[in-house]
């Protein structure tokens, strides 16, 4: 097999090293290409040498199968991410099937009891540790599928895409897609919806992040009539927003129908000291919109919620992922999953969003299915090991069907 390495940036190289250093052995044929000379020039020779050194040791054990053939693996390391694509046909870029995964994790947080967040342990059939469910376990599943396709020479165009900043907006995936405007995959397997292996996700909401900025007039805290409190302006605006988008909580309103638009106050910052009227404050809002809601309508709602002195800006927006539950590929996958699990599976809708949305907008059939576990983005994160193995078995059965 042939491994092409593209090493565009120092950050990518350091992430590459941190995630995969020493993971696999030495073998295979390798070619290093300068994908972005400007990045190389900026990072300097030491970073290039370090990136090449660690890059050339990446996935040797997987790619050096001893099978020969016409397979080619292309590793694209974006400025913030790692993208591995295996080509099993003459075309330079695969069009048939991709598996997505991300290697970054959210902060560890506090309150871990079974183990420390970055000291993984197996207990009672569960793998505990930050990233066990979201989603390093299923990145390993993707590489297992890659190895299987190579060893068995399945007649597939096949790719694995590993990003390293999905938890912070997926800039690497967006850059990757922009760099390859004609890239399409007929089918995308997305394992980043962890929690219940008995559910296949058919809908994801559209995440829209909005920044509020309030500007007032500074004054001494003892004479508020001489100033304009930016914090107060922000709260008045927030109250207006809540008239349209209700507050849901564990100890408050819990809607029976969860497929509704939501928003939460993700971050607020205003004021420096206690005895000064704040002249500026900011807030970050996290909207999750269903497929029946548009960003244009959100603009209209926000505009009518603003009070004098407050303005908004949409920082980022995406698209909801909505799949046809009667799609024959999805039903084939579902059948394999039900046979392996020995029970029927259900479809569900989730408020989260994954990298698969970048492919959904290009017409890909996205199959969203992951293993069982708890603690995603909270303390005590774990994945059930048996469910990880089952996802791997399901993928292989599905790949075999496609590769016939």
């Amino acid at each position: 097999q042939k491994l092409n390495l593209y090493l565009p940036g120092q950050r990518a190289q350091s992430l590459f090293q941190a995630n995969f250093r020493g993971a696999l052995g030495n073998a295979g044929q390798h070619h290093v290409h300068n994908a972005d000379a400007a990045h190389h020039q900026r990072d300097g020779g030491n970073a290039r040498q370090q990136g090449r050194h660690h890059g050339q040791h990446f996935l040797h054990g997987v790619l050096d199968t001893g099978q020969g053939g016409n397979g080619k693996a292309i590793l694209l390391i974006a400025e913030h991410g790692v993208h591995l694509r295996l080509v099993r046909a003459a075309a330079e870029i695969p069009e048939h099937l991709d598996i997505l995964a991300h290697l970054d994790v959210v902060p560890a947080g506090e309150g871990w009891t079974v183990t420390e967040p970055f000291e993984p342990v197996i207990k009672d059939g569960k793998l505990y540790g930050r990233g066990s469910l979201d989603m390093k376990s299923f990145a390993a599943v993707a590489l297992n599928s890659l190895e299987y396709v190579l060893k068995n020479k399945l007649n597939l165009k096949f790719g694995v895409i590993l990003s390293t900043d999905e938890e912070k907006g997926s800039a690497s995936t967006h850059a990757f897609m922009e760099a390859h405007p004609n890239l399409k995959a007929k089918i995308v397997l997305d394992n980043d919806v962890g929690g219940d292996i008995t559910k296949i996700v058919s809908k994801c909401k559209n995440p829209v992040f909005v920044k509020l900025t309030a500007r007032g007039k500074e004054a001494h805290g003892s004479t508020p009539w001489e100033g304009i409190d930016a914090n107060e302006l922000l709260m008045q605006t927030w109250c207006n927003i809540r008239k349209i988008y209700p507050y849901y909580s564990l100890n408050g309103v819990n809607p029976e129908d969860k497929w509704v638009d939501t928003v939460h106050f993700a971050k607020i910052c205003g004021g420096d000291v206690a005895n000064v009227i704040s002249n500026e404050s900011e807030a970050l809002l996290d909207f999750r919109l269903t497929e029946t809601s548009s960003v244009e309508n959100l603009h209209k709602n926000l505009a009518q919620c603003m009070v004098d002195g407050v303005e908004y800006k949409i920082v980022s927006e995406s698209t909801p992922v909505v799949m046809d539950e009667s799609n024959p590929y999805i039903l084939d996958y579902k059948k394999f999953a039900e046979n392996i699990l020995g029970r029927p599976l259900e479809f569900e809708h989730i408020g989260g969003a994954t990298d698969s949305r970048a492919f959904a907008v290009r017409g890909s059939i996205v199959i969203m299915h992951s293993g069982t576990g708890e603690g995603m983005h909270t303390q005590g994160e774990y994945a059930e090991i048996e469910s990880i193995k089952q996802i791997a078995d399901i993928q292989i059965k599905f790949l075999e069907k496609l590769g016939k």
Side-chain angles (χ1 to χ4, degrees):
Q1 310 300 330
K2 176 181 171 185
L3 180 62
N4 293 337
L5 298 175
Y6 296 80
L7 307 172
Q10 186 175 21
R11 172 172 167 79
Q13 293 163 0
S14 62
L15 289 167
F16 180 61
Q17 174 186 356
N19 283 295
F20 296 109
R21 183 180 181 184
L24 297 164
N26 300 323
Q29 179 185 1
H30 314 280
H31 301 269
V32 178
H33 297 273
N34 184 346
D36 189 336
H39 282 307
H40 278 297
Q41 186 176 10
R42 182 195 66 194
D43 293 338
N46 289 337
R48 289 198 303 273
Q49 184 176 1
Q50 180 183 2
R52 288 192 180 103
H53 172 74
H54 293 293
Q56 289 171 348
H57 289 79
F58 179 68
L59 287 181
H60 291 188
V62 172
L63 294 173
D64 185 36
T65 63
Q67 301 297 318
N70 63 351
K72 179 192 290 185
I74 301 175
L75 179 65
L76 296 166
I77 307 180
E79 179 64 13
H80 301 286
V82 179
H83 307 280
L84 174 69
R85 301 179 61 82
L86 167 70
V87 183
R88 291 295 304 176
E92 182 66 16
I93 296 178
E95 299 172 348
H96 199 152
L97 185 142
D98 282 342
I99 299 180
L100 306 181
H102 67 84
L103 302 169
D104 58 314
V105 298
V106 297
E110 299 179 352
W112 290 73
T113 56
V114 176
T115 184
E116 293 299 313
F118 297 108
E119 296 178 6
V121 299
I122 296 174
K123 182 179 180 181
D124 299 327
K126 300 172 182 177
L127 174 62
Y128 287 87
R130 174 59 78 228
S132 55
L133 181 63
D134 185 18
M135 62 165 301
K136 292 179 184 288
S137 297
F138 303 101
V141 169
L143 297 181
N144 179 74
S145 295
L146 169 66
E147 181 180 36
Y148 188 86
V149 171
L150 276 166
K151 285 185 175 180
N152 293 276
K153 298 184 180 180
L154 296 188
N155 187 28
L156 288 174
K157 296 181 181 180
F158 178 81
V160 173
I161 297 181
L162 305 173
S163 66
T164 53
D165 67 342
E166 190 271 348
E167 302 291 4
K168 291 189 174 182
S170 302
S172 64
T173 300
H174 295 318
F176 179 71
M177 299 300 283
E178 289 175 5
H180 301 280
N182 297 320
L183 172 63
K184 293 182 180 180
K186 185 171 184 178
I187 303 169
V188 170
L189 300 183
D190 181 5
N191 300 136
D192 192 17
V193 288
D196 189 348
I197 198 172
T198 67
K199 306 288 180 62
I200 294 178
V201 175
S202 58
K203 288 185 182 181
C204 292
K205 292 182 181 179
N206 177 13
V208 182
F209 295 94
V210 176
K211 180 180 179 181
L212 299 181
T213 303
R215 292 182 174 85
K217 184 179 183 300
E218 197 172 72
H220 195 279
S222 64
T223 56
W225 46 83
E226 295 180 358
I228 300 175
D229 191 341
N231 290 336
E232 183 69 25
L233 298 179
L234 201 65
M235 291 302 101
Q236 292 175 10
T237 300
W238 182 244
C239 288
N240 290 339
I241 291 173
R242 276 296 178 218
K243 295 175 183 178
I244 302 175
Y245 302 95
Y247 172 56
Y248 302 115
S249 70
L250 181 64
N251 60 354
V253 177
N254 189 341
E256 183 177 349
D257 180 10
K258 303 296 192 297
W259 199 244
V260 294
D261 295 340
T262 64
V263 60
H264 84 275
F265 219 137
K267 186 177 181 180
I268 183 170
C269 179
D272 295 319
V273 294
N275 62 350
V276 176
I277 302 295
S278 175
N279 66 347
E280 185 171 349
S281 62
E282 294 181 347
L284 182 65
L285 281 57
D286 176 6
F287 285 86
R288 302 296 170 124
L289 307 180
T290 69
E291 77 280 8
T292 59
S293 299
S294 67
V295 175
E296 289 74 22
N297 191 60
L298 176 62
H299 273 292
K300 294 178 182 178
N301 289 339
L302 288 173
Q304 72 182 49
C305 291
M306 297 300 110
V307 302
D308 289 343
V310 181
E311 60 185 20
Y312 76 91
K313 178 182 179 182
I314 292 184
V315 178
S316 67
E317 59 180 282
S318 185
T319 183
V321 177
V322 180
M323 291 294 116
D324 179 2
E325 295 176 2
S326 64
N327 180 278
Y329 289 102
I330 294 177
L331 291 179
D332 274 349
Y333 180 96
K334 183 171 179 283
K335 181 178 179 181
F336 287 127
E338 289 174 337
N339 288 339
I340 288 173
L341 296 177
R343 57 162 296 162
L345 270 66
E346 300 176 354
F347 288 105
E348 71 169 346
H349 307 159
I350 65 171
T354 73
D355 283 340
S356 65
R357 60 190 185 272
F359 284 87
V361 297
R362 297 190 183 187
S364 296
I365 300 164
V366 180
I367 303 176
M368 297 173 279
H369 187 219
S370 190
T372 297
E374 291 184 2
M376 183 183 291
H377 291 202
T378 64
Q379 72 276 10
E381 179 180 357
Y382 72 83
E384 294 183 5
I385 292 178
E386 183 62 24
S387 74
I388 300 171
K389 295 177 180 178
Q390 289 169 331
I391 290 292
D393 291 341
I394 295 166
Q395 283 192 8
I396 286 174
K397 289 295 184 183
F398 186 64
L399 291 169
E400 287 177 338
K401 170 74 180 294
L402 294 176
K404 288 183 177 179

